Amino acid sequence: MIRLCASLLILFVLQPATPRPLRIIAFGAHPDDAELKASGVAALWASQGHKVKFVAMTNGDVGHFEMAGGPLAKRRKAEVAECARILGIETEVLDIHDGELMPSLENRKTVARLIREWQADIVLSHRPNDYHPDHRYTGVLADDAAVLVVAPFFTPDTRPTTRNPVFLHYSDNFQRPYPFKPDVVVSIDESAEKKWSCVGAMPSQFGDKDSWQGRTRPDVPPGDRERQAYLVELVRRQNAAVADQYRDRLNALYGPERGRAVKYAEAFELCEYGRQVPQDELKKMFVP
């Protein structure tokens, strides 16, 4: 019996430890922003057993040209809940009015609590130099939380993260004060259909004739079905453009043969405020 127990103990010790699933939290200014920028990689993570949560910092209650207020906020919350179901992740929408997000101490505490409650390994957000104040301040709030999530007596009602998470920013095309520089570019070919389905599940933004995209984009078709197909196709082209723009990074990450074959991609920039990781560790977080 002793010999058997000893053998089992040796066998247990020799077994490789099962890696703990990553925990990722992604902040978007409105109920569609994280979905646009990171739903491809979120679906990939979820399919690998990692835990992902999207948080909309505002309820999006003015992001339409025909409806607003409570009815629009409820509609957009239901839309991102359907996106989360498609992607296999969790979602939360904060009750802050669209266009009214401020980089206040109260909101900094809210972001820090959300990161700590999720015990995040990775935090995604906008860059803090965006055309939209809600986008800009989402980035500021996430960046400001970076050092505080490990401080035991900041928001002491939540447990600190065991170490500083890795903070990354979504891609964008803004040039001032400095252009986006990708640290990791991820193929989303395997999860692309889920992303297009997610975008299609948000008709208040990508379907209605009075949706934000429907009213502000040129050459939008008048028919409901044609309009939604056209707007989803625009998102598809945006992700194809990311792959083409950063093809050299895809080649470096996946090797030239696979890198050249990637159709759609999402790109992220490492924020210098969070935990700094070498490229090989960053790659393992995004590509198993």
Side-chain angles (χ1 to χ4, degrees), residues 253-267:
L253 188 65
Y254 296 99
E257 183 176 356
R258 185 180 172 193
R260 286 193 299 267
V262 172
K263 293 181 179 179
Y264 308 110
E266 293 171 347

Side-chain angles (χ1 to χ4, degrees), residues 206-219:
F206 301 95
D208 295 1
K209 65 181 178 61
D210 291 314
S211 67
W212 197 268
Q213 302 294 332
R215 284 284 292 269
T216 61
R217 293 282 186 175
D219 304 321

Side-chain angles (χ1 to χ4, degrees), residues 30-32 35 56 58-84 91 93 95 198-213 224 227-228 231:
H30 310 99
D32 75 329
E35 289 76 11
T58 74
N59 60 20
D61 59 355
V62 301
H64 201 275
F65 285 90
E66 191 274 331
M67 64 185 305
L72 179 58
K74 289 180 180 178
R75 183 182 181 192
R76 296 189 70 178
K77 185 175 182 179
E79 288 175 347
V80 293
E82 174 60 13
C83 280
T91 188
V93 178
D95 193 20
C198 170
V199 173
M202 298 185 289
S204 73
Q205 304 303 297
F206 301 95
D208 295 1
K209 65 181 178 61
D210 291 314
S211 67
W212 197 268
Q213 302 294 332
D224 290 341
R227 184 189 312 111
Q228 185 170 52
L231 294 173

Side-chain angles (χ1 to χ4, degrees), residues 233-247:
E233 177 61 24
L234 286 180
V235 177
R236 195 191 310 262
R237 291 178 190 172
Q238 290 169 0
N239 286 112
V242 171
D244 290 338
Q245 183 176 0
Y246 304 121
R247 185 68 62 185

Side-chain angles (χ1 to χ4, degrees), residues 21-27 34-35 38-55 83-85 87-92 118 120-124 170 285:
L22 290 172
R23 300 187 66 84
I24 302 100
I25 190 166
F27 293 94
E35 289 76 11
S39 58
V41 72
L44 290 174
W45 272 322
S47 69
Q48 296 157 14
H50 302 304
K51 305 300 180 184
V52 185
K53 181 176 184 178
F54 282 1
V55 176
C83 280
R85 186 195 66 78
L87 302 174
I89 67 171
E90 295 189 26
T91 188
E92 182 173 349
W118 196 248
D121 300 295
I122 298 173
V123 178
L124 305 176
Y170 307 129
M285 289 180 166

